Amino acid sequence: MTNSRDRVEYSIQEVAEKLGVPVQKLRRWDAQGVLVARRTDGGHRRYAKEIVDGLAASTLGSTMDKYNDELEHARKTLQEKRRIIQLLLESESRYRDLVETSHDLIWTTDSQGRFTYLNGACQEIFGVKPQDLIGRCFFDYEMRPSHVSNRRFLSQLRKHGEVKNYMTRLAGADGQERWVGINARVAYDENGGMMGIRGTARDITEQQRAALQIEYLATHDALTGLPNRVSLQKAVEKALENGEKGAVAFVDLDHFKYVNDNVGHRQGDQIILSVGGLLRETAEKLGGDVYRLGGDEFAVHLRNALRPQATQAAETLLSQLRVQPMQVGSDSRVLKLTASSGVALYPFHANEAAALLAAADIALYQAKDSGRNRVVTYGQDGGEALKTTTKRVLWAKQLREVLDEDRLMLYTQPVVRLEDQAVMHQEVLVRIEGEDGRIVAPGQFIEAAESLGMVQEIDLRVTAKLIEHLRAEAQRGAPRIRHFVNLSRVSITDPHWTKKFYALLQGAPEVRNLLVFEVTESAAMSEVSVTKGFIKELKHLGCRFGLDDFGSGFSSFYYLRQFDVDYLKIDGNFVRDLTRDEGNRIFVKALCDVGSGLSKQVVAKWVETPEAIVLLRDMGVKFGQGYLFQHPKPLIELAREAAPTRIKRASEAGG
């Protein structure tokens, strides 16, 4: 057996033991050429004894360990750097993809504002490729005079270092205007100097055009393109702020509602267009601006015009309308129009825009009340005429708001059988809710509503509300009881209103037999043939009819045979003083005998005392209505209450 001192080679295990190095590390050294081993035929590693002994006797082993550790650390460092570089490359790739595919313009400039980089979105704004814009700037494409705005943008940027949502106008290579919104931030060098600008920009042309269109629609009339009441108020406010003097003339076509009814609304719009063009052309020669306030009402703003000039200008406008025929459609028909005008002067009649326009409105109503086709200056008539017109104008505005905001309220008062005071019918009474919540009775506004042409809408609205109520009552199984509704003479004599009214009733077949419509005796007598036709149509639809305030005119006795009415309501003025006035008793007895003889049901109104009930029953009056039985109460409250036990169905009451 060979002595270890005679051997010339060591095995790998022996070398590991001598050098204190793991076998795995020796294998790596062998592979790396640090400490090379000889391979036997069997593939085993053999190390030269001389070299290994020398290494074992020296510090090379620790040096090799240190070298190997540093080598391993360097390798790991290189791997980490390669990973970081790869991440940076991927990040840059993502960034470039996002930037180049962005619809927003992303740009950078040098310190002079010249482009050093732009993404592909620049073609959408400027209409040229990015490389063609390098070295140029926003100012090269500005829309004059927006250069002032753009230089202000740079000034703010230098001052604050950042600008957000800055809007400006640019012109593309095709010459088309572009609205652009810009965000920008200054880039500084290490010394704090301005190195350049970085930012984004977006084409907001469509949004801006939409915003301008909305603003235009808010300040201009859609049909004529003329500025509207909002624009007029702004113009007057500006003139007042500047301490100017001037006038506003309202111009309203006379009887245009009937023109519309005769030619149709489409042709009516064409007439309004023609009138607007004529007024604008005439006003421009007079140094004024025309506005359309709505419907057939226009206004002319006359700057620096005193009373004589303003009145003369308004007269000229009306004169041009009188002499200029308006062609209707393609059938060569022409219309001759007239108009009325109301003039108010500032700051003499008002030093606030809303008050001035109200004054012009009042003067216009005075012109209408004075016979139309004329000019009236605010305050020229004075006295009671001005007070009446002012009240009328105020009611016009208030009633319009009431209808628009649906502040009409229905109240009811029962019609009772005098024998046992059982409720037989309900009369519907209209009220309006004021802005302060106060309930306003019809005596305060019906006359104004009739003169303003608004009572027709009130009558339709009341009927529609009542139909809705009766339908709801039917669904909850409430007793079926008839309801009286008073209609205005103005309504039933308007063929366009009656057409809408009949259509409303035709749509409510399930409740028509519960509706009793009534007009005052004087209204029925004013248009006998119209009243007869109206009653006939109502009866055909299944409704009933009554004459209210009967007895105010003996002429109606003659027509009672011709009027197919179901109910006669005796004028309350006769009933109220029944116990004190023998003449009234004689008269009421006569009315009752006439009504009963013609098979009409007679109702006495304003029954307020038990003594009146006794007298009425003795006269043969079977039904009554008044505060003695119940004050008017909201219809909605009546619906909430349980049905009174003494209420009879209409069929059971024979009425």
Side-chain angles (χ1 to χ4, degrees), residues 89-124:
L89 291 173
E90 291 175 359
S91 176
E92 182 181 6
S93 177
R94 285 195 300 270
Y95 168 77
R96 287 191 175 277
D97 288 342
L98 291 171
V99 167
E100 293 302 326
T101 59
S102 173
H103 290 292
D104 289 348
L105 172 63
I106 298 173
W107 50 273
T108 63
T109 73
D110 59 18
S111 59
Q112 301 301 312
R114 295 178 295 229
F115 291 124
T116 56
Y117 169 79
L118 304 98
N119 67 343
C122 69
Q123 288 187 269
E124 296 181 14

Side-chain angles (χ1 to χ4, degrees), residues 308-328:
Q309 295 90 345
T311 303
Q312 183 57 49
E315 293 283 5
T316 302
L317 291 167
L318 300 194
S319 175
Q320 287 298 309
L321 282 172
R322 284 193 292 266
V323 301
Q324 181 66 47
M326 297 292 169
Q327 184 169 347
V328 180

Side-chain angles (χ1 to χ4, degrees), residues 354-355 357-359 361-363 365 369 378 386-402 407 432 434-435 438 444-445 448-449 451-452 454:
L357 301 188
D361 215 7
I362 291 168
Y365 274 105
D369 291 340
Y378 178 75
L386 179 59
K387 291 179 181 178
T388 301
T389 306
T390 302
K391 183 179 180 181
R392 186 182 176 198
V393 172
L394 293 175
W395 269 120
K397 296 182 184 302
Q398 185 172 346
L399 287 174
R400 185 69 266 159
E401 290 174 358
V402 165
R407 286 193 273 120
I432 64 175
E435 292 181 351
R438 183 174 56 89
Q444 299 183 49
F445 64 84
S451 66
L452 293 165
M454 301 174 76

